[in-house]
Amino acid sequence: NPNPAAVIAALNAQMAAPDLRSQGMFASVIYGLVERSGRVNFARAGHPAPFLSTQTGCRQLQPQGTGPLLGVLDDAEWPVTTTRIPPGGTIYLFSDGLIEARRGSDVFGVDRACEVLESERQSALEIRLERLVERARLHEDASLRDDVVVLAVQRGPAAPV
């Protein structure tokens, strides 16, 4: 289904089944479609908004909104956000364990994550991901208490004219 909101609604219907709800089962998710043109449509169910890294910097995207976690409500809406990855740009989807890595009350956060991605802009994508996770780990005294998963999609450079 090319509609991220419909896919999340279908997943929610499965997660909201009475037997799973009675067990306290719930999950966050982000679901998106990336087109060759760089267009990205995504919806979130309680999941952090992705980062977009380009030649001019890194920022966390400001989505249209978010819906509730999967399995919490029977009926809800999950707004779809449309953005674009420019040539040479990268979109990063990640679990909350990345930005919530903490040392006492000091969280790793969005700004530090973007600092890593900007400083490693010229590195291969795999190296950027390794360094991002390693910096979060070091921020939390060399261990991570929560799961950390990062998925990145890099768009190729613009074709020469």
mmCIF file of all heavy atoms in Angstrom, residues 7-61:
data_model
loop_
_atom_site.group_PDB
_atom_site.id
_atom_site.type_symbol
_atom_site.label_atom_id
_atom_site.label_comp_id
_atom_site.label_asym_id
_atom_site.label_seq_id
_atom_site.Cartn_x
_atom_site.Cartn_y
_atom_site.Cartn_z
ATOM 1 N N VAL A 7 -0.968 1.739 6.121
ATOM 2 C CA VAL A 7 -0.142 0.616 6.580
ATOM 3 C C VAL A 7 -0.065 0.615 8.108
ATOM 4 O O VAL A 7 -0.231 -0.425 8.756
ATOM 5 C CB VAL A 7 1.268 0.667 5.948
ATOM 6 C CG1 VAL A 7 2.195 -0.362 6.567
ATOM 7 C CG2 VAL A 7 1.166 0.471 4.429
ATOM 8 N N ILE A 8 0.157 1.780 8.685
ATOM 9 C CA ILE A 8 0.237 1.858 10.150
ATOM 10 C C ILE A 8 -1.107 1.524 10.778
ATOM 11 O O ILE A 8 -1.168 0.835 11.801
ATOM 12 C CB ILE A 8 0.775 3.232 10.597
ATOM 13 C CG1 ILE A 8 2.262 3.316 10.225
ATOM 14 C CG2 ILE A 8 0.581 3.434 12.093
ATOM 15 C CD1 ILE A 8 2.942 4.602 10.602
ATOM 16 N N ALA A 9 -2.206 1.967 10.163
ATOM 17 C CA ALA A 9 -3.536 1.635 10.698
ATOM 18 C C ALA A 9 -3.754 0.120 10.686
ATOM 19 O O ALA A 9 -4.312 -0.441 11.632
ATOM 20 C CB ALA A 9 -4.623 2.349 9.895
ATOM 21 N N ALA A 10 -3.297 -0.551 9.626
ATOM 22 C CA ALA A 10 -3.442 -2.008 9.550
ATOM 23 C C ALA A 10 -2.594 -2.694 10.631
ATOM 24 O O ALA A 10 -3.046 -3.652 11.269
ATOM 25 C CB ALA A 10 -3.045 -2.505 8.155
ATOM 26 N N LEU A 11 -1.381 -2.203 10.832
ATOM 27 C CA LEU A 11 -0.540 -2.751 11.903
ATOM 28 C C LEU A 11 -1.183 -2.515 13.264
ATOM 29 O O LEU A 11 -1.173 -3.389 14.137
ATOM 30 C CB LEU A 11 0.848 -2.112 11.879
ATOM 31 C CG LEU A 11 1.759 -2.493 10.723
ATOM 32 C CD1 LEU A 11 2.992 -1.592 10.710
ATOM 33 C CD2 LEU A 11 2.158 -3.950 10.831
ATOM 34 N N ASN A 12 -1.756 -1.336 13.449
ATOM 35 C CA ASN A 12 -2.408 -1.016 14.711
ATOM 36 C C ASN A 12 -3.576 -1.958 14.977
ATOM 37 O O ASN A 12 -3.781 -2.392 16.109
ATOM 38 C CB ASN A 12 -2.884 0.432 14.730
ATOM 39 C CG ASN A 12 -3.433 0.820 16.067
ATOM 40 O OD1 ASN A 12 -2.713 0.862 17.050
ATOM 41 N ND2 ASN A 12 -4.738 1.077 16.122
ATOM 42 N N ALA A 13 -4.337 -2.267 13.935
ATOM 43 C CA ALA A 13 -5.476 -3.176 14.111
ATOM 44 C C ALA A 13 -5.003 -4.533 14.636
ATOM 45 O O ALA A 13 -5.662 -5.152 15.473
ATOM 46 C CB ALA A 13 -6.228 -3.338 12.795
ATOM 47 N N GLN A 14 -3.853 -4.986 14.162
ATOM 48 C CA GLN A 14 -3.307 -6.249 14.653
ATOM 49 C C GLN A 14 -2.804 -6.113 16.087
ATOM 50 O O GLN A 14 -3.050 -6.979 16.923
ATOM 51 C CB GLN A 14 -2.173 -6.720 13.745
ATOM 52 C CG GLN A 14 -2.644 -7.104 12.367
ATOM 53 C CD GLN A 14 -1.497 -7.467 11.454
ATOM 54 O OE1 GLN A 14 -0.349 -7.571 11.866
ATOM 55 N NE2 GLN A 14 -1.804 -7.659 10.186
ATOM 56 N N MET A 15 -2.114 -5.024 16.371
ATOM 57 C CA MET A 15 -1.554 -4.824 17.715
ATOM 58 C C MET A 15 -2.636 -4.543 18.756
ATOM 59 O O MET A 15 -2.435 -4.789 19.934
ATOM 60 C CB MET A 15 -0.563 -3.655 17.717
ATOM 61 C CG MET A 15 0.716 -3.899 16.964
ATOM 62 S SD MET A 15 1.868 -4.989 17.812
ATOM 63 C CE MET A 15 2.238 -4.059 19.275
ATOM 64 N N ALA A 16 -3.788 -4.014 18.329
ATOM 65 C CA ALA A 16 -4.860 -3.670 19.270
ATOM 66 C C ALA A 16 -5.793 -4.840 19.542
ATOM 67 O O ALA A 16 -6.789 -4.692 20.238
ATOM 68 C CB ALA A 16 -5.654 -2.475 18.733
ATOM 69 N N ALA A 17 -5.459 -6.002 19.008
ATOM 70 C CA ALA A 17 -6.271 -7.193 19.282
ATOM 71 C C ALA A 17 -6.352 -7.399 20.793
ATOM 72 O O ALA A 17 -5.372 -7.177 21.511
ATOM 73 C CB ALA A 17 -5.662 -8.421 18.603
ATOM 74 N N PRO A 18 -7.519 -7.802 21.302
ATOM 75 C CA PRO A 18 -7.702 -7.918 22.765
ATOM 76 C C PRO A 18 -6.640 -8.750 23.475
ATOM 77 O O PRO A 18 -6.193 -8.377 24.558
ATOM 78 C CB PRO A 18 -9.080 -8.559 22.887
ATOM 79 C CG PRO A 18 -9.792 -8.169 21.634
ATOM 80 C CD PRO A 18 -8.734 -8.119 20.568
ATOM 81 N N ASP A 19 -6.198 -9.862 22.875
ATOM 82 C CA ASP A 19 -5.207 -10.691 23.568
ATOM 83 C C ASP A 19 -3.861 -9.978 23.689
ATOM 84 O O ASP A 19 -3.179 -10.097 24.707
ATOM 85 C CB ASP A 19 -5.050 -12.051 22.882
ATOM 86 C CG ASP A 19 -4.639 -11.930 21.423
ATOM 87 O OD1 ASP A 19 -5.099 -10.995 20.730
ATOM 88 O OD2 ASP A 19 -3.854 -12.783 20.967
ATOM 89 N N LEU A 20 -3.481 -9.194 22.673
ATOM 90 C CA LEU A 20 -2.224 -8.450 22.766
ATOM 91 C C LEU A 20 -2.368 -7.244 23.696
ATOM 92 O O LEU A 20 -1.463 -6.942 24.473
ATOM 93 C CB LEU A 20 -1.771 -7.988 21.376
ATOM 94 C CG LEU A 20 -1.338 -9.097 20.424
ATOM 95 C CD1 LEU A 20 -0.981 -8.526 19.063
ATOM 96 C CD2 LEU A 20 -0.163 -9.867 21.003
ATOM 97 N N ARG A 21 -3.496 -6.559 23.607
ATOM 98 C CA ARG A 21 -3.700 -5.391 24.460
ATOM 99 C C ARG A 21 -3.691 -5.801 25.939
ATOM 100 O O ARG A 21 -3.131 -5.108 26.768
ATOM 101 C CB ARG A 21 -4.997 -4.685 24.100
ATOM 102 C CG ARG A 21 -5.162 -3.405 24.919
ATOM 103 C CD ARG A 21 -6.329 -2.594 24.485
ATOM 104 N NE ARG A 21 -5.948 -1.846 23.295
ATOM 105 C CZ ARG A 21 -6.832 -1.289 22.493
ATOM 106 N NH1 ARG A 21 -8.114 -1.394 22.728
ATOM 107 N NH2 ARG A 21 -6.441 -0.606 21.457
ATOM 108 N N SER A 22 -4.295 -6.951 26.245
ATOM 109 C CA SER A 22 -4.330 -7.395 27.643
ATOM 110 C C SER A 22 -2.936 -7.733 28.164
ATOM 111 O O SER A 22 -2.696 -7.709 29.364
ATOM 112 C CB SER A 22 -5.259 -8.605 27.802
ATOM 113 O OG SER A 22 -4.710 -9.732 27.145
ATOM 114 N N GLN A 23 -1.993 -8.024 27.252
ATOM 115 C CA GLN A 23 -0.605 -8.299 27.645
ATOM 116 C C GLN A 23 0.234 -7.026 27.714
ATOM 117 O O GLN A 23 1.420 -7.075 28.012
ATOM 118 C CB GLN A 23 0.035 -9.255 26.638
ATOM 119 C CG GLN A 23 -0.585 -10.623 26.605
ATOM 120 C CD GLN A 23 0.035 -11.467 25.498
ATOM 121 O OE1 GLN A 23 1.222 -11.379 25.234
ATOM 122 N NE2 GLN A 23 -0.785 -12.276 24.851
ATOM 123 N N GLY A 24 -0.396 -5.892 27.378
ATOM 124 C CA GLY A 24 0.344 -4.625 27.397
ATOM 125 C C GLY A 24 1.295 -4.474 26.226
ATOM 126 O O GLY A 24 2.299 -3.781 26.324
ATOM 127 N N MET A 25 0.985 -5.127 25.107
ATOM 128 C CA MET A 25 1.842 -5.057 23.929
ATOM 129 C C MET A 25 1.595 -3.745 23.191
ATOM 130 O O MET A 25 0.457 -3.401 22.886
ATOM 131 C CB MET A 25 1.564 -6.227 22.992
ATOM 132 C CG MET A 25 1.847 -7.587 23.598
ATOM 133 S SD MET A 25 3.597 -7.909 23.794
ATOM 134 C CE MET A 25 4.066 -8.122 22.114
ATOM 135 N N PHE A 26 2.664 -3.015 22.914
ATOM 136 C CA PHE A 26 2.588 -1.809 22.111
ATOM 137 C C PHE A 26 3.950 -1.605 21.464
ATOM 138 O O PHE A 26 4.938 -2.229 21.852
ATOM 139 C CB PHE A 26 2.178 -0.591 22.943
ATOM 140 C CG PHE A 26 3.134 -0.281 24.055
ATOM 141 C CD1 PHE A 26 4.208 0.569 23.843
ATOM 142 C CD2 PHE A 26 2.966 -0.837 25.307
ATOM 143 C CE1 PHE A 26 5.102 0.860 24.867
ATOM 144 C CE2 PHE A 26 3.846 -0.555 26.342
ATOM 145 C CZ PHE A 26 4.921 0.297 26.116
ATOM 146 N N ALA A 27 4.002 -0.735 20.458
ATOM 147 C CA ALA A 27 5.268 -0.499 19.758
ATOM 148 C C ALA A 27 5.222 0.857 19.074
ATOM 149 O O ALA A 27 4.151 1.339 18.706
ATOM 150 C CB ALA A 27 5.512 -1.598 18.715
ATOM 151 N N SER A 28 6.398 1.432 18.894
ATOM 152 C CA SER A 28 6.501 2.619 18.051
ATOM 153 C C SER A 28 6.991 2.159 16.683
ATOM 154 O O SER A 28 7.649 1.119 16.558
ATOM 155 C CB SER A 28 7.469 3.638 18.657
ATOM 156 O OG SER A 28 8.800 3.220 18.520
ATOM 157 N N VAL A 29 6.656 2.928 15.669
ATOM 158 C CA VAL A 29 7.082 2.579 14.315
ATOM 159 C C VAL A 29 7.095 3.837 13.458
ATOM 160 O O VAL A 29 6.350 4.787 13.709
ATOM 161 C CB VAL A 29 6.155 1.494 13.690
ATOM 162 C CG1 VAL A 29 4.772 2.037 13.405
ATOM 163 C CG2 VAL A 29 6.757 0.914 12.428
ATOM 164 N N ILE A 30 7.973 3.829 12.489
ATOM 165 C CA ILE A 30 7.938 4.822 11.429
ATOM 166 C C ILE A 30 7.917 4.014 10.137
ATOM 167 O O ILE A 30 8.625 3.011 10.002
ATOM 168 C CB ILE A 30 9.136 5.788 11.488
ATOM 169 C CG1 ILE A 30 9.005 6.882 10.403
ATOM 170 C CG2 ILE A 30 10.453 5.063 11.375
ATOM 171 C CD1 ILE A 30 9.988 8.027 10.584
ATOM 172 N N TYR A 31 7.036 4.411 9.227
ATOM 173 C CA TYR A 31 6.917 3.700 7.965
ATOM 174 C C TYR A 31 6.972 4.733 6.855
ATOM 175 O O TYR A 31 6.250 5.729 6.893
ATOM 176 C CB TYR A 31 5.595 2.933 7.903
ATOM 177 C CG TYR A 31 5.394 2.214 6.588
ATOM 178 C CD1 TYR A 31 5.999 0.989 6.358
ATOM 179 C CD2 TYR A 31 4.634 2.779 5.582
ATOM 180 C CE1 TYR A 31 5.840 0.338 5.158
ATOM 181 C CE2 TYR A 31 4.469 2.125 4.368
ATOM 182 C CZ TYR A 31 5.080 0.907 4.160
ATOM 183 O OH TYR A 31 4.931 0.264 2.967
ATOM 184 N N GLY A 32 7.834 4.503 5.896
ATOM 185 C CA GLY A 32 7.959 5.462 4.806
ATOM 186 C C GLY A 32 8.269 4.807 3.484
ATOM 187 O O GLY A 32 8.719 3.658 3.428
ATOM 188 N N LEU A 33 8.024 5.558 2.456
ATOM 189 C CA LEU A 33 8.341 5.154 1.093
ATOM 190 C C LEU A 33 9.296 6.179 0.503
ATOM 191 O O LEU A 33 9.028 7.389 0.561
ATOM 192 C CB LEU A 33 7.074 5.083 0.245
ATOM 193 C CG LEU A 33 6.034 4.081 0.736
ATOM 194 C CD1 LEU A 33 4.695 4.326 0.070
ATOM 195 C CD2 LEU A 33 6.515 2.673 0.464
ATOM 196 N N VAL A 34 10.396 5.704 -0.059
ATOM 197 C CA VAL A 34 11.384 6.579 -0.675
ATOM 198 C C VAL A 34 11.345 6.323 -2.178
ATOM 199 O O VAL A 34 11.508 5.189 -2.624
ATOM 200 C CB VAL A 34 12.801 6.291 -0.130
ATOM 201 C CG1 VAL A 34 13.824 7.212 -0.785
ATOM 202 C CG2 VAL A 34 12.829 6.414 1.383
ATOM 203 N N GLU A 35 11.122 7.393 -2.940
ATOM 204 C CA GLU A 35 11.078 7.274 -4.400
ATOM 205 C C GLU A 35 12.441 7.644 -4.984
ATOM 206 O O GLU A 35 13.236 8.338 -4.357
ATOM 207 C CB GLU A 35 9.995 8.206 -4.947
ATOM 208 C CG GLU A 35 8.612 7.864 -4.444
ATOM 209 C CD GLU A 35 7.552 8.867 -4.892
ATOM 210 O OE1 GLU A 35 7.867 9.798 -5.678
ATOM 211 O OE2 GLU A 35 6.408 8.729 -4.429
ATOM 212 N N ARG A 36 12.686 7.181 -6.189
ATOM 213 C CA ARG A 36 13.942 7.482 -6.876
ATOM 214 C C ARG A 36 14.190 8.982 -6.992
ATOM 215 O O ARG A 36 15.325 9.439 -6.988
ATOM 216 C CB ARG A 36 13.942 6.893 -8.286
ATOM 217 C CG ARG A 36 14.374 5.474 -8.374
ATOM 218 C CD ARG A 36 14.362 5.041 -9.835
ATOM 219 N NE ARG A 36 15.594 4.683 -10.451
ATOM 220 C CZ ARG A 36 16.470 3.810 -10.020
ATOM 221 N NH1 ARG A 36 16.283 3.222 -8.871
ATOM 222 N NH2 ARG A 36 17.538 3.523 -10.690
ATOM 223 N N SER A 37 13.135 9.744 -7.108
ATOM 224 C CA SER A 37 13.235 11.200 -7.239
ATOM 225 C C SER A 37 13.704 11.864 -5.949
ATOM 226 O O SER A 37 13.992 13.056 -5.933
ATOM 227 C CB SER A 37 11.873 11.767 -7.620
ATOM 228 O OG SER A 37 10.945 11.586 -6.548
ATOM 229 N N GLY A 38 13.763 11.105 -4.855
ATOM 230 C CA GLY A 38 14.138 11.654 -3.567
ATOM 231 C C GLY A 38 12.943 12.006 -2.701
ATOM 232 O O GLY A 38 13.086 12.348 -1.530
ATOM 233 N N ARG A 39 11.756 11.897 -3.259
ATOM 234 C CA ARG A 39 10.552 12.181 -2.478
ATOM 235 C C ARG A 39 10.365 11.082 -1.429
ATOM 236 O O ARG A 39 10.517 9.895 -1.714
ATOM 237 C CB ARG A 39 9.348 12.239 -3.400
ATOM 238 C CG ARG A 39 8.060 12.527 -2.671
ATOM 239 C CD ARG A 39 6.909 12.579 -3.633
ATOM 240 N NE ARG A 39 5.674 12.621 -2.865
ATOM 241 C CZ ARG A 39 4.509 12.824 -3.374
ATOM 242 N NH1 ARG A 39 4.368 12.999 -4.672
ATOM 243 N NH2 ARG A 39 3.442 12.830 -2.618
ATOM 244 N N VAL A 40 10.012 11.494 -0.213
ATOM 245 C CA VAL A 40 9.793 10.563 0.892
ATOM 246 C C VAL A 40 8.448 10.885 1.525
ATOM 247 O O VAL A 40 8.172 12.036 1.857
ATOM 248 C CB VAL A 40 10.897 10.691 1.970
ATOM 249 C CG1 VAL A 40 10.650 9.721 3.116
ATOM 250 C CG2 VAL A 40 12.278 10.493 1.375
ATOM 251 N N ASN A 41 7.611 9.871 1.674
ATOM 252 C CA ASN A 41 6.347 9.980 2.415
ATOM 253 C C ASN A 41 6.467 9.055 3.614
ATOM 254 O O ASN A 41 6.769 7.875 3.457
ATOM 255 C CB ASN A 41 5.158 9.532 1.560
ATOM 256 C CG ASN A 41 4.909 10.462 0.401
ATOM 257 O OD1 ASN A 41 4.972 11.669 0.549
ATOM 258 N ND2 ASN A 41 4.636 9.899 -0.761
ATOM 259 N N PHE A 42 6.219 9.608 4.818
ATOM 260 C CA PHE A 42 6.311 8.756 5.996
ATOM 261 C C PHE A 42 5.252 9.150 7.018
ATOM 262 O O PHE A 42 4.746 10.264 7.032
ATOM 263 C CB PHE A 42 7.712 8.800 6.614
ATOM 264 C CG PHE A 42 8.114 10.124 7.211
ATOM 265 C CD1 PHE A 42 7.846 10.405 8.545
ATOM 266 C CD2 PHE A 42 8.775 11.078 6.451
ATOM 267 C CE1 PHE A 42 8.223 11.615 9.112
ATOM 268 C CE2 PHE A 42 9.155 12.289 7.000
ATOM 269 C CZ PHE A 42 8.882 12.560 8.333
ATOM 270 N N ALA A 43 4.928 8.177 7.862
ATOM 271 C CA ALA A 43 4.026 8.389 8.991
ATOM 272 C C ALA A 43 4.676 7.763 10.219
ATOM 273 O O ALA A 43 5.432 6.791 10.108
ATOM 274 C CB ALA A 43 2.657 7.768 8.720
ATOM 275 N N ARG A 44 4.347 8.316 11.398
ATOM 276 C CA ARG A 44 4.968 7.849 12.639
ATOM 277 C C ARG A 44 3.909 7.485 13.659
ATOM 278 O O ARG A 44 2.916 8.176 13.814
ATOM 279 C CB ARG A 44 5.836 8.952 13.249
ATOM 280 C CG ARG A 44 6.916 9.442 12.352
ATOM 281 C CD ARG A 44 7.706 10.615 12.931
ATOM 282 N NE ARG A 44 6.852 11.676 13.435
ATOM 283 C CZ ARG A 44 6.984 12.227 14.643
ATOM 284 N NH1 ARG A 44 7.928 11.833 15.468
ATOM 285 N NH2 ARG A 44 6.184 13.195 15.030
ATOM 286 N N ALA A 45 4.161 6.415 14.356
ATOM 287 C CA ALA A 45 3.325 6.004 15.486
ATOM 288 C C ALA A 45 4.215 6.068 16.720
ATOM 289 O O ALA A 45 4.878 5.090 17.074
ATOM 290 C CB ALA A 45 2.768 4.601 15.272
ATOM 291 N N GLY A 46 4.288 7.240 17.334
ATOM 292 C CA GLY A 46 5.091 7.419 18.531
ATOM 293 C C GLY A 46 6.592 7.332 18.334
ATOM 294 O O GLY A 46 7.342 7.235 19.292
ATOM 295 N N HIS A 47 7.053 7.352 17.114
ATOM 296 C CA HIS A 47 8.475 7.172 16.811
ATOM 297 C C HIS A 47 9.143 8.527 16.596
ATOM 298 O O HIS A 47 8.502 9.466 16.134
ATOM 299 C CB HIS A 47 8.610 6.321 15.540
ATOM 300 C CG HIS A 47 9.871 5.547 15.463
ATOM 301 N ND1 HIS A 47 10.100 4.425 16.225
ATOM 302 C CD2 HIS A 47 10.976 5.724 14.729
ATOM 303 C CE1 HIS A 47 11.300 3.943 15.945
ATOM 304 N NE2 HIS A 47 11.843 4.728 15.041
ATOM 305 N N PRO A 48 10.454 8.659 16.903
ATOM 306 C CA PRO A 48 11.136 9.937 16.671
ATOM 307 C C PRO A 48 11.143 10.319 15.190
ATOM 308 O O PRO A 48 11.192 9.452 14.314
ATOM 309 C CB PRO A 48 12.567 9.682 17.147
ATOM 310 C CG PRO A 48 12.551 8.411 17.902
ATOM 311 C CD PRO A 48 11.345 7.652 17.477
ATOM 312 N N ALA A 49 11.130 11.606 14.943
ATOM 313 C CA ALA A 49 11.216 12.116 13.569
ATOM 314 C C ALA A 49 12.634 11.905 13.033
ATOM 315 O O ALA A 49 13.607 12.008 13.778
ATOM 316 C CB ALA A 49 10.858 13.594 13.541
ATOM 317 N N PRO A 50 12.757 11.613 11.737
ATOM 318 C CA PRO A 50 14.080 11.355 11.158
ATOM 319 C C PRO A 50 14.938 12.613 11.037
ATOM 320 O O PRO A 50 14.439 13.733 11.112
ATOM 321 C CB PRO A 50 13.760 10.790 9.770
ATOM 322 C CG PRO A 50 12.340 11.048 9.506
ATOM 323 C CD PRO A 50 11.680 11.428 10.783
ATOM 324 N N PHE A 51 16.224 12.385 10.837
ATOM 325 C CA PHE A 51 17.168 13.457 10.506
ATOM 326 C C PHE A 51 17.306 13.515 8.997
ATOM 327 O O PHE A 51 17.244 12.486 8.316
ATOM 328 C CB PHE A 51 18.577 13.172 11.055
ATOM 329 C CG PHE A 51 18.676 13.071 12.536
ATOM 330 C CD1 PHE A 51 19.298 11.978 13.121
ATOM 331 C CD2 PHE A 51 18.177 14.062 13.364
ATOM 332 C CE1 PHE A 51 19.418 11.880 14.490
ATOM 333 C CE2 PHE A 51 18.297 13.973 14.741
ATOM 334 C CZ PHE A 51 18.917 12.873 15.298
ATOM 335 N N LEU A 52 17.570 14.707 8.481
ATOM 336 C CA LEU A 52 17.937 14.891 7.083
ATOM 337 C C LEU A 52 19.273 15.599 7.074
ATOM 338 O O LEU A 52 19.429 16.660 7.679
ATOM 339 C CB LEU A 52 16.890 15.718 6.333
ATOM 340 C CG LEU A 52 17.196 15.969 4.856
ATOM 341 C CD1 LEU A 52 17.221 14.641 4.076
ATOM 342 C CD2 LEU A 52 16.179 16.930 4.262
ATOM 343 N N SER A 53 20.247 14.981 6.420
ATOM 344 C CA SER A 53 21.588 15.538 6.331
ATOM 345 C C SER A 53 21.867 15.877 4.873
ATOM 346 O O SER A 53 21.662 15.042 3.985
ATOM 347 C CB SER A 53 22.602 14.509 6.843
ATOM 348 O OG SER A 53 23.912 14.993 6.715
ATOM 349 N N THR A 54 22.315 17.113 4.640
ATOM 350 C CA THR A 54 22.643 17.578 3.286
ATOM 351 C C THR A 54 24.001 18.265 3.322
ATOM 352 O O THR A 54 24.631 18.363 4.384
ATOM 353 C CB THR A 54 21.581 18.583 2.781
ATOM 354 O OG1 THR A 54 21.656 19.770 3.579
ATOM 355 C CG2 THR A 54 20.182 17.990 2.839
ATOM 356 N N GLN A 55 24.421 18.801 2.215
ATOM 357 C CA GLN A 55 25.689 19.528 2.159
ATOM 358 C C GLN A 55 25.649 20.789 3.015
ATOM 359 O O GLN A 55 26.687 21.318 3.386
ATOM 360 C CB GLN A 55 26.034 19.884 0.711
ATOM 361 C CG GLN A 55 26.399 18.688 -0.134
ATOM 362 C CD GLN A 55 27.578 17.919 0.447
ATOM 363 O OE1 GLN A 55 28.571 18.490 0.888
ATOM 364 N NE2 GLN A 55 27.475 16.592 0.453
ATOM 365 N N THR A 56 24.462 21.278 3.332
ATOM 366 C CA THR A 56 24.350 22.512 4.117
ATOM 367 C C THR A 56 24.122 22.253 5.601
ATOM 368 O O THR A 56 24.013 23.200 6.372
ATOM 369 C CB THR A 56 23.225 23.408 3.576
ATOM 370 O OG1 THR A 56 21.992 22.685 3.626
ATOM 371 C CG2 THR A 56 23.518 23.837 2.150
ATOM 372 N N GLY A 57 24.016 20.999 6.024
ATOM 373 C CA GLY A 57 23.844 20.724 7.439
ATOM 374 C C GLY A 57 22.932 19.553 7.720
ATOM 375 O O GLY A 57 22.543 18.801 6.830
ATOM 376 N N CYS A 58 22.580 19.420 8.986
ATOM 377 C CA CYS A 58 21.754 18.322 9.468
ATOM 378 C C CYS A 58 20.647 18.911 10.326
ATOM 379 O O CYS A 58 20.886 19.856 11.089
ATOM 380 C CB CYS A 58 22.605 17.361 10.298
ATOM 381 S SG CYS A 58 21.682 16.065 11.141
ATOM 382 N N ARG A 59 19.453 18.341 10.209
ATOM 383 C CA ARG A 59 18.340 18.792 11.043
ATOM 384 C C ARG A 59 17.360 17.650 11.228
ATOM 385 O O ARG A 59 17.285 16.737 10.400
ATOM 386 C CB ARG A 59 17.633 19.989 10.428
ATOM 387 C CG ARG A 59 16.972 19.681 9.091
ATOM 388 C CD ARG A 59 16.378 20.940 8.448
ATOM 389 N NE ARG A 59 15.938 20.689 7.108
ATOM 390 C CZ ARG A 59 14.736 20.235 6.764
ATOM 391 N NH1 ARG A 59 13.845 19.992 7.701
ATOM 392 N NH2 ARG A 59 14.419 20.030 5.509
ATOM 393 N N GLN A 60 16.618 17.724 12.314
ATOM 394 C CA GLN A 60 15.543 16.764 12.507
ATOM 395 C C GLN A 60 14.335 17.300 11.765
ATOM 396 O O GLN A 60 13.993 18.487 11.869
ATOM 397 C CB GLN A 60 15.239 16.578 13.991
ATOM 398 C CG GLN A 60 14.286 15.424 14.237
ATOM 399 C CD GLN A 60 14.169 15.062 15.712
ATOM 400 O OE1 GLN A 60 14.307 15.908 16.581
ATOM 401 N NE2 GLN A 60 13.914 13.797 15.984
ATOM 402 N N LEU A 61 13.708 16.456 10.970
ATOM 403 C CA LEU A 61 12.538 16.883 10.207
ATOM 404 C C LEU A 61 11.394 17.232 11.143
ATOM 405 O O LEU A 61 11.258 16.653 12.222
ATOM 406 C CB LEU A 61 12.116 15.779 9.236
ATOM 407 C CG LEU A 61 13.138 15.470 8.135
ATOM 408 C CD1 LEU A 61 12.691 14.266 7.325
ATOM 409 C CD2 LEU A 61 13.340 16.683 7.233
#
